[in-house]
Amino acid sequence: MPLHLIKLSVGTESPETLRQWQAYFGNLHGRIYHTTRMTPKRKAEILAGGSIYWVIKGAIRARQRIVDLEEFIDDEGIKHCRIVLDPELFETRTWPHRAFQGWRYLSEDKCPPDEKQAGGAEALPEDMADELRELGLL
């Protein structure tokens, strides 16, 4: 079973604005990656099909497959990690999650389903679907 990461997407308003930012970044750098200070120790498990789940505005709302984890040392001699991502962004069922710093491991059983697999809430406005979920009705 693959292991996943979860990370806040600070300043992002929606999966669409994350998609737009990554398209811009990808055009600049030729690929999409997120740089983080700490390198995941469980690299093999993550690269066996893991994704990064993005927390946007207080909830997991999207995910991307992790292609590689690249360690590097910056100009000041500090180690970092590039989490290289597949350009395809999948929207997930909105899954409330509180803020945290850095990234965390996320096991398969704690991951929300992709929106296409979730069913049921697609026709509802996002704010209404969020409220119904908070009430435990979706």
Side-chain angles (χ1 to χ4, degrees), residues 33-84:
Y33 59 86
H34 178 78
T35 302
T36 184
R37 175 71 179 85
M38 302 303 293
T39 300
K41 304 285 186 242
R42 298 169 69 182
K43 181 176 181 175
E45 293 171 84
I46 293 167
L47 295 181
S51 292
I52 188 165
Y53 282 79
W54 293 109
V55 176
I56 301 169
K57 307 281 286 181
I60 299 172
R61 296 183 190 269
R63 73 168 180 90
Q64 283 174 286
R65 193 173 61 79
I66 298 173
V67 176
D68 201 3
L69 299 170
E70 300 174 347
E71 286 187 278
F72 71 98
I73 299 174
D74 70 10
D75 296 337
E76 297 174 7
I78 299 171
K79 282 186 186 180
H80 294 280
C81 178
R82 283 189 192 101
I83 303 170
V84 183

